[in-house]
Each structure stands twice: as structure tokens, then as C-alpha cells.
């Protein structure tokens, strides 16, 4: 790269860090909190997860479901989560507005208690980490944009470290130079693991997430296996990411089952009981933990899944154990199945990558490794700002000096490559170029007048 590329990188590095640091700190801290959500929830909700009701009489899970539906007015059970001992069975209830409640059943299928899904530790941290509590497309784009520019910060930092010979031992150094050296050295150490953590989180993002999902669905050999289905709800956390947007096969159509004006009560009466369905599930050698998702309409199927990135305490399994099965909602007959072995390369990659990002792929070592990388990233941010403040002149931003209009080919190619890989990053670069052009034209016209 030409000599002026260093200053061009430095200038972009400086302004990017200046504007997105608040977001990066928020995402990193919320990510640290989410790393340990299972451990925190096991303590916070000990009575719900592991406790017993005061009723010793046993009832069926279907009776418990009916009781839960009657207890929470306007809500109905949409999924049942069967967990390994000592965890209690967990019901998810939803209403027409999309609100959810969790209800827990002890070993006698008696209700232990319930909680508002919006205020659980994991869901609060997830909402903060993914959408800053605000939600909406614009905020999701903003979060993804921050993640994309974080990758640029790391790449440009590596370039400047070697190009500027920052790590070279010098006879005489001052505090600013030492801080800059530590900033560069630590940034160099965490670059690869940090890039991996960021990229493995992008499947949930607004733009790249949809691109990855679309590519996966449209290319079965590298992505999702083909199933002729009606799509399951994409917001169902228990279905593995790899099959979340797959179409699910329909239950067999019988005229006495699918009356056009059948009421919901009659429909539920025609459905196979959960008790009987679990017998069918066990017949397919599916062991706990697994989740049963109710059909969304008269022709839908029961979806039974084991996922490696469920977001539910006690439900996650190893990626190679992932499986999604479909059962006829009326007869309980097994219809079709998608297992990890049928995933394409892309799906397999993210089936391992997402739990790595979330910190539960290989137990506590994964959590500690992610924690150290996150702490390292926060330290790099702190050292970067300390370096800036040490050279900042009072009353001035002290930004890196402007560079000539000449741009090296290698710099352009790198930016194009990053823009293609990260579309939002590419769009933001175009906006920056337009803004710089307008500023130059305005300045030139001002000088002429």
C-alpha cells in the first residue's frame, strides 16, 4: 500500500472508534453478562427450575397444560420443553399480542410457578445485546453496523501496528508511546478470536443474518436440506438456527380433521395429547432435553427439536446432536426429520459457531476464553482512548491529518472486499465518501468566494 494508506487507515480507525465505542462497550458488557446466563438463572430461578409444588397428587402433562391455559387468561401453551433431571418441565404460553409467560411443572406435573418472559435474565440480556432494548429494524442495523466497524478497527489496527513498527523496541519512550504499544500489542493478540466471536454472532443480525439464511436455504448442498413445509415461526428460540427457517411438512389432510370453520377448542380436542406424543417421540429414540412446538394451524405439524443454540437454560445440546423432527398433529405419526448429518457446510459451521459465540460449546473453558477476549477488547478500547487523550490538544479534536486524494489500489480492493462481505459496512463507506466529497466541494467553493 502507498505511504498515505497509513494515515487513511489511521483516520478511519480514529473516527470509527470515536463514534461506535459506546455501542461496542454496551455490546461487549451485555455479551459478558449473557455468557453466564445459565449459571445466573440456575441461582435466580432455583425455586422454579428445581422446586416442587405443595401438591403431592400426580396429574398428566395434558392436565397441567389445561390448568395453565385456564390460570393465565388470554394465554395458551405454544410449546413444551422437556428437560433432563433435575430441571422441571417448562411450558411457554403466548397470547395474541405476542407476549409470553413461562410456567414450570414439577415431577408430578403440578404447577410450581410462572414468570413473565420479558423480564427473565436471559431475555433481558438478549434484548440489550441484540437491539439495545429498543428493537426495530433501524436499531438492529445500527448494532450490526457497529459489529462490522469493529472488524475494520481490528484489521486496520493490525496493519498500523506492523506498518508503523509500533512494537519495535526504542531506547527512549514516553508514557504515550508505551500506552500505544500496549494498545497495539493487546489488539494484535485478540484480533483473531475477536473476529471469530463477531462473525459467529452475525447469523442473528438484520442484513448479514438474512443473507446467510437465504444462501443456506437456496443452496441445500452447502446449507439447509430441502423439506416441503410451511415455515415454522422464526422467533422460536428452541428450534436450531440451522433449521429455524426451514419449511415444515404438513400433517395428513383429513376432511374430518380440517373443517374450514373449526374452532380452536375443537381443534385442540382433535390433536394428539402431549402424553401420547411423548411416547411417539421416545419411539424415535429422542432423549431429553427437547422442545415440542405446537402446530401453528390446522395443517401444521408438531415440531420436536434438540438445538445447540436454544437460548433456554438446560435445553442446549452439542451441535452434532441437533435434530428436528416433525409429527402429525392428529395421529402423532412421525413424518420427517432433519439431523446434523444432513446439514450443508454452511449450516454445520454456524451450528458450531453460534454456541462458541454464546460461550457454551465446550463448557466453562469456552466461557472463560470468551470472557478474557471481551475483557481484552475493553482494555484495548481504554488504551486507545488513553493514547488519544495523551496527544490531544486542548480545544481540538486532534484527529489524524487529512491525506491526499490519491488512494492505493490495494486499499480500494480491501475496502471493496470488506464491503461485499459486510454489506452495511460497504453502504456506510459509500455514505462517508459522499460526505467527504461534499465537504471538499463546500470547502473549495468557500475558498473561491
Amino acid at each position: 500500500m502507498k505511504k498515505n494508506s497509513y494515515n487513511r487507515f489511521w483516520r478511519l480507525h480514529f473516527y470509527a472508534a470515536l463514534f461506535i465505542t459506546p455501542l461496542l462497550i454496551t455490546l461487549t458488557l451485555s455479551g459478558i453478562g449473557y455468557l453466564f446466563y445459565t449459571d445466573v438463572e440456575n441461582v435466580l430461578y432455583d425455586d422454579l427450575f428445581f422446586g416442587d409444588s405443595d401438591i403431592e397428587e400426580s396429574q398428566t402433562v395434558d392436565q397441567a397444560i389445561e390448568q395453565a391455559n385456564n390460570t393465565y387468561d388470554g394465554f395458551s401453551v405454544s410449546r413444551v420443553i422437556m428437560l433432563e433431571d433435575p430441571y422441571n418441565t417448562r411450558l411457554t404460553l403466548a397470547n395474541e399480542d405476542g407476549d409470553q409467560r413461562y410456567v414450570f411443572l414439577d415431577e408430578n406435573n403440578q404447577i410450581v410457578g410462572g414468570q413473565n418472559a420479558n423480564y427473565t435474565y436471559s431475555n433481558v440480556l438478549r434484548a440489550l445485546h441484540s437491539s439495545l432494548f429498543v428493537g426495530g429494524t433501524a436499531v438492529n442495523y445500527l448494532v450490526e453496523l457497529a459489529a462490522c466497524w469493529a472488524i475494520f478497527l481490528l484489521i486496520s489496527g493490525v496493519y498500523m501496528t506492523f506498518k508503523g513498527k509500533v512494537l519495535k523496541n526504542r531506547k527512549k519512550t514516553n508514557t504515550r508511546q508505551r500506552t500505544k504499544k500496549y494498545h497495539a500489542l493487546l489488539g494484535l493478540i485478540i484480533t483473531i478470536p475477536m473476529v471469530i466471536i463477531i462473525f459467529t454472532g452475525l447469523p442473528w443480525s438484520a442484513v448479514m443474518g438474512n443473507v446467510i439464511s437465504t444462501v443456506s436455504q437456496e443452496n441445500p448442498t452447502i446449507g439447509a436440506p430441502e423439506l416441503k413445509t410451511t415455515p415454522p415461526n422464526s422467533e422460536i428460540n428452541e428450534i436450531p438456527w440451522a433449521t429455524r427457517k426451514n419449511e415444515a411438512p404438513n400433517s395428513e389432510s383429513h376432511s374430518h380433521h380440517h373443517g374450514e370453520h373449526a374452532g380452536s377448542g375443537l381443534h385442540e380436542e382433535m390433536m394428539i395429547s402431549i402424553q401420547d406424543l411423548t411416547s411417539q417421540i421416545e419411539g424415535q429414540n429422542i432423549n431429553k432435553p427437547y422442545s415440542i412446538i405446537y402446530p401453528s394451524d390446522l395443517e401444521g405439524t408438531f415440531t420436536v427439536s434438540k438445538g445447540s443454540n436454544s437460548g433456554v437454560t438446560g435445553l442446549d445440546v452439542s451441535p452434532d446432536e441437533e435434530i428436528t423432527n416433525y409429527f402429525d398433529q392428529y395421529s402423532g405419526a412421525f413424518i420427517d426429520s432433519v439431523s446434523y448429518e444432513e446439514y450443508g457446510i454452511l449450516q454445520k459451521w454456524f451450528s458450531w459457531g453460534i454456541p462458541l459465540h454464546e460461550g457454551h460449546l465446550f463448557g466453562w473453558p469456552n466461557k472463560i476464553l470468551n470472557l478474557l477476549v471481551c475483557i481484552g477488547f475493553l482494555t484495548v478500547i481504554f488504551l486507545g482512548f488513553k493514547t488519544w487523550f495523551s496527544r490531544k490538544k486542548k480545544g481540538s479534536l486532534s484527529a489524524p491529518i487529512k491525506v491526499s486524494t490519491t488512494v492505493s489500489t490495494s486499499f480500494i480492493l480491501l475496502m471493496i472486499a470488506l464491503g461485499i462481505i459486510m454489506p452495511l459496512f460497504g453502504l456506510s463507506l459509500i455514505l462517508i465518501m459522499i460526505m467527504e466529497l461534499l465537504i471538499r466541494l463546500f470547502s473549495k467553493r468557500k475558498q473561491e468566494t
Side-chain angles (χ1 to χ4, degrees), residues 331-351:
S331 67
F334 170 73
I335 298 176
D336 211 337
S337 175
V338 181
S339 65
Y340 172 82
E341 288 74 18
E342 298 171 78
Y343 294 175
I345 294 174
L346 189 62
Q347 280 190 314
K348 286 182 177 178
W349 165 257
F350 283 109
S351 291

Side-chain angles (χ1 to χ4, degrees), residues 156-335:
S156 59
V158 170
Y159 169 77
M160 291 189 294
T161 296
F162 288 106
K163 186 69 176 178
K165 299 178 180 179
V166 179
L167 302 181
K168 183 179 179 180
N169 291 324
R170 306 176 189 277
K171 292 182 178 179
K172 293 183 179 180
T173 59
N174 54 34
T175 302
R176 182 177 68 84
Q177 289 171 331
R178 285 194 296 271
T179 304
K180 183 180 179 181
K181 183 176 180 178
Y182 295 146
H183 170 75
L185 178 60
L186 186 54
L188 197 62
I189 292 171
I190 68 166
T191 290
I192 292 178
M194 196 66 201
V195 167
I196 292 173
I197 287 176
I198 293 172
F199 265 114
T200 51
L202 288 175
W204 300 112
S205 61
V207 176
M208 286 191 67
N210 284 330
V211 170
I212 292 169
S213 179
T214 300
V215 171
S216 177
Q217 300 299 319
E218 294 179 353
N219 298 273
T221 55
I222 65 169
E226 292 183 78
L227 281 176
K228 294 180 180 180
T229 57
T230 50
N233 190 331
S234 61
E235 294 181 358
I236 297 175
N237 288 330
E238 293 81 7
I239 292 181
W241 177 86
T243 59
R244 188 164 299 179
K245 291 191 176 182
N246 285 5
E247 295 183 349
N250 290 334
S251 299
E252 290 183 11
S253 179
H254 303 292
S255 59
H256 61 283
H257 284 163
H258 303 148
E260 191 174 282
H261 303 288
S264 60
L266 178 60
H267 177 216
E268 290 177 6
E269 288 180 10
M270 292 186 296
M271 287 168 53
I272 187 174
S273 69
I274 296 298
Q275 191 77 32
D276 290 339
L277 180 61
T278 54
S279 297
Q280 298 286 71
I281 293 169
E282 290 171 4
Q284 292 294 319
N285 296 318
I286 302 173
N287 300 319
K288 296 178 181 180
Y290 60 81
S291 141
I292 302 172
I293 297 93
Y294 275 58
S296 58
D297 53 41
L298 291 174
E299 294 186 348
T301 62
F302 275 110
T303 304
V304 178
S305 68
K306 296 167 73 74
S308 63
N309 47 82
S310 67
V312 175
T313 300
L315 187 58
D316 294 324
V317 298
S318 174
D320 55 8
E321 294 179 33
E322 279 197 2
I323 189 167
T324 303
N325 290 266
Y326 304 102
F327 293 84
D328 188 288
Q329 66 170 299
Y330 305 106
S331 67
F334 170 73
I335 298 176

Side-chain angles (χ1 to χ4, degrees), residues 20-256:
I20 69 171
T21 288
L23 259 179
L24 291 181
I25 292 175
T26 302
L27 293 174
T28 305
L29 290 175
S30 60
I32 290 174
Y34 191 75
L35 274 178
F36 301 97
Y37 82 88
T38 55
D39 310 283
V40 173
E41 289 197 331
N42 281 338
V43 175
L44 284 180
Y45 312 130
D46 175 77
D47 56 332
L48 296 174
F49 284 9
F50 312 108
D52 297 319
S53 68
D54 297 328
I55 304 173
E56 296 183 1
E57 182 183 353
S58 182
Q59 67 176 349
T60 66
V61 66
D62 295 283
Q63 289 173 323
I65 289 170
E66 184 179 359
Q67 183 183 359
N69 288 337
N70 293 333
T71 301
Y72 297 94
D73 187 41
F75 286 80
S76 60
V77 173
S78 60
R79 67 203 81 156
V80 181
I81 301 174
M82 300 291 192
L83 301 173
E84 292 180 299
D85 290 335
Y87 283 101
N88 285 328
T89 298
R90 171 172 167 169
L91 309 179
T92 299
L93 289 79
N95 64 11
E96 292 182 354
D97 297 326
D99 298 321
Q100 292 186 338
R101 295 197 67 89
Y102 301 142
V103 175
F104 298 86
L105 311 178
D106 63 15
E107 58 183 5
N108 293 320
N109 289 321
Q110 297 292 348
I111 294 178
V112 177
Q115 57 186 182
N116 188 325
N118 290 331
Y119 303 111
T120 64
Y121 178 85
S122 58
N123 287 346
V124 167
L125 265 293
R126 191 182 294 117
L128 175 60
H129 190 67
S130 62
S131 58
L132 308 177
F133 289 134
V134 179
T137 304
V139 176
N140 291 335
Y141 285 174
L142 186 61
V143 170
E144 181 177 350
L145 189 61
C148 293
W149 274 97
I151 290 175
F152 171 78
L153 286 175
L154 293 164
I155 293 174
S156 59
V158 170
Y159 169 77
M160 291 189 294
T161 296
F162 288 106
K163 186 69 176 178
K165 299 178 180 179
V166 179
L167 302 181
K168 183 179 179 180
N169 291 324
R170 306 176 189 277
K171 292 182 178 179
K172 293 183 179 180
T173 59
N174 54 34
T175 302
R176 182 177 68 84
Q177 289 171 331
R178 285 194 296 271
T179 304
K180 183 180 179 181
K181 183 176 180 178
Y182 295 146
H183 170 75
L185 178 60
L186 186 54
L188 197 62
I189 292 171
I190 68 166
T191 290
I192 292 178
M194 196 66 201
V195 167
I196 292 173
I197 287 176
I198 293 172
F199 265 114
T200 51
L202 288 175
W204 300 112
S205 61
V207 176
M208 286 191 67
N210 284 330
V211 170
I212 292 169
S213 179
T214 300
V215 171
S216 177
Q217 300 299 319
E218 294 179 353
N219 298 273
T221 55
I222 65 169
E226 292 183 78
L227 281 176
K228 294 180 180 180
T229 57
T230 50
N233 190 331
S234 61
E235 294 181 358
I236 297 175
N237 288 330
E238 293 81 7
I239 292 181
W241 177 86
T243 59
R244 188 164 299 179
K245 291 191 176 182
N246 285 5
E247 295 183 349
N250 290 334
S251 299
E252 290 183 11
S253 179
H254 303 292
S255 59
H256 61 283

